[in-house]
Protein backbone atom coordinates (compact mmCIF):
# COMPACT_ATOMS: atom_id res chain seq x y z
CA UNK A 1 0.00 0.00 0.00
CA UNK A 2 2.79 2.44 0.88
CA UNK A 3 4.55 1.74 -2.42
CA UNK A 4 1.36 2.41 -4.37
CA UNK A 5 0.79 5.74 -2.63
CA UNK A 6 4.43 6.69 -3.21
CA UNK A 7 4.21 5.86 -6.91
CA UNK A 8 0.97 7.82 -7.26
CA UNK A 9 2.62 10.83 -5.63
CA UNK A 10 5.72 10.44 -7.82
CA UNK A 11 3.75 10.22 -11.06
CA UNK A 12 1.51 13.09 -9.96
CA UNK A 13 4.57 15.22 -9.28
CA UNK A 14 6.06 14.36 -12.67
CA UNK A 15 2.78 15.28 -14.40
CA UNK A 16 2.66 18.54 -12.45
CA UNK A 17 6.16 19.56 -13.54
CA UNK A 18 5.51 18.54 -17.15
CA UNK A 19 2.43 20.75 -17.14
CA UNK A 20 4.35 23.64 -15.54
CA UNK A 21 7.15 23.44 -18.12
CA UNK A 22 4.61 23.29 -20.97
CA UNK A 23 6.10 19.98 -22.12
CA UNK A 24 2.68 18.42 -21.79
CA UNK A 25 -0.70 19.91 -22.57
CA UNK A 26 -3.61 19.75 -20.14
CA UNK A 27 -5.50 17.46 -22.51
CA UNK A 28 -2.61 15.00 -22.69
CA UNK A 29 -2.27 15.01 -18.90
CA UNK A 30 -6.00 14.37 -18.51
CA UNK A 31 -5.77 11.53 -21.04
CA UNK A 32 -2.77 10.00 -19.22
CA UNK A 33 -4.52 10.21 -15.85
CA UNK A 34 -7.71 8.74 -17.27
CA UNK A 35 -5.78 5.92 -18.94
CA UNK A 36 -4.07 5.09 -15.65
CA UNK A 37 -7.36 5.19 -13.77
CA UNK A 38 -9.12 2.85 -16.17
CA UNK A 39 -6.07 0.59 -16.53
CA UNK A 40 -6.12 0.06 -12.76
CA UNK A 41 -9.59 -1.46 -12.99
CA UNK A 42 -8.60 -4.08 -15.60
CA UNK A 43 -6.88 -7.42 -15.32
CA UNK A 44 -3.60 -5.72 -16.23
CA UNK A 45 -3.43 -4.04 -12.81
CA UNK A 46 -2.01 -7.10 -11.02
CA UNK A 47 0.92 -7.72 -13.41
CA UNK A 48 1.74 -4.00 -13.46
CA UNK A 49 1.79 -3.91 -9.65
CA UNK A 50 3.96 -7.02 -9.55
CA UNK A 51 6.39 -5.49 -12.05
CA UNK A 52 6.57 -2.24 -10.07
CA UNK A 53 7.21 -4.18 -6.84
CA UNK A 54 9.93 -6.26 -8.51
CA UNK A 55 11.69 -3.14 -9.78
CA UNK A 56 11.42 -1.44 -6.38
CA UNK A 57 12.78 -4.53 -4.62
CA UNK A 58 15.66 -4.79 -7.13
CA UNK A 59 16.84 -1.19 -6.67
CA UNK A 60 18.60 -1.77 -3.29
CA UNK A 61 20.48 -4.73 -4.79
CA UNK A 62 22.15 -2.52 -7.41
Amino acid sequence: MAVTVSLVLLFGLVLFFLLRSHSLSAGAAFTAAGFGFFLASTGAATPINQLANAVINAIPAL
Side-chain angles (χ1 to χ4, degrees), residues 54-62:
V55 169
I56 290 167
N57 290 333
I59 289 173
L62 295 177

Side-chain angles (χ1 to χ4, degrees), residues 16-45:
F16 172 76
F17 283 117
L18 286 173
L19 284 170
R20 290 274 295 163
S21 67
H22 301 291
S23 298
L24 185 69
S25 68
F30 180 75
T31 302
F35 175 74
F37 178 77
F38 288 114
L39 182 64
S41 65
T42 66

Side-chain angles (χ1 to χ4, degrees), residues 1-23:
M1 179 69 177
V3 171
T4 304
V5 173
S6 298
L7 288 175
V8 167
L9 290 175
L10 175 67
F11 286 123
L13 191 63
V14 168
L15 277 175
F16 172 76
F17 283 117
L18 286 173
L19 284 170
R20 290 274 295 163
S21 67
H22 301 291
S23 298

